[in-house]
Amino acid sequence: MLEANQLQRLEAFEARDARHLTLATATILINSCPSLVSLLDLASWGGVQEEELSVLKEQVERENIELDLGEEMHTGEREITIYQLCR
């Protein structure tokens, strides 16, 4: 008998400056956690390239997936992340 997905109730995942996390990690979380609505700080993960993150954001938007990827707010010439606002 298979055990139920232990992550099925996970709604939010945030990891800052995680050197070993990759876009594959994000994909596994997205595919394994049906309740996930927030996946933050991917840009600070060591294994996530800016181009990869852009592709993921486009895919989430295109497929109308309800998932907050921590969009950055632009104020003038300076970009401020949600993480920076909360510090």
Side-chain angles (χ1 to χ4, degrees):
M1 181 171 162
L2 294 174
E3 286 187 35
N5 178 356
Q6 297 297 313
L7 298 175
Q8 65 187 354
R9 289 189 244 156
L10 180 68
E11 295 179 2
F13 184 87
E14 180 176 1
R16 291 182 206 109
D17 302 322
R19 295 183 304 154
H20 302 292
L21 296 183
T22 66
L23 193 64
T25 306
T27 301
I28 290 169
L29 286 168
I30 292 167
N31 292 332
S32 301
C33 306
S35 299
L36 189 67
V37 293
S38 178
L39 183 57
L40 302 178
D41 290 321
L42 273 70
S44 73
W45 294 7
V48 175
Q49 303 299 315
E50 188 175 326
E51 301 82 27
E52 292 177 317
L53 185 53
S54 293
V55 169
L56 178 61
K57 287 179 180 181
E58 289 172 10
Q59 178 183 357
V60 165
E61 185 176 326
R62 183 178 59 249
E63 295 179 15
N64 201 26
I65 298 170
E66 188 176 324
L67 181 63
D68 177 9
L69 293 172
E71 293 295 319
E72 296 176 339
M73 294 184 296
H74 299 278
T75 56
E77 294 182 17
R78 187 169 179 204
E79 293 180 355
I80 300 172
T81 64
I82 298 298
Y83 169 69
Q84 291 167 325
L85 286 175
C86 295
R87 286 179 105 186

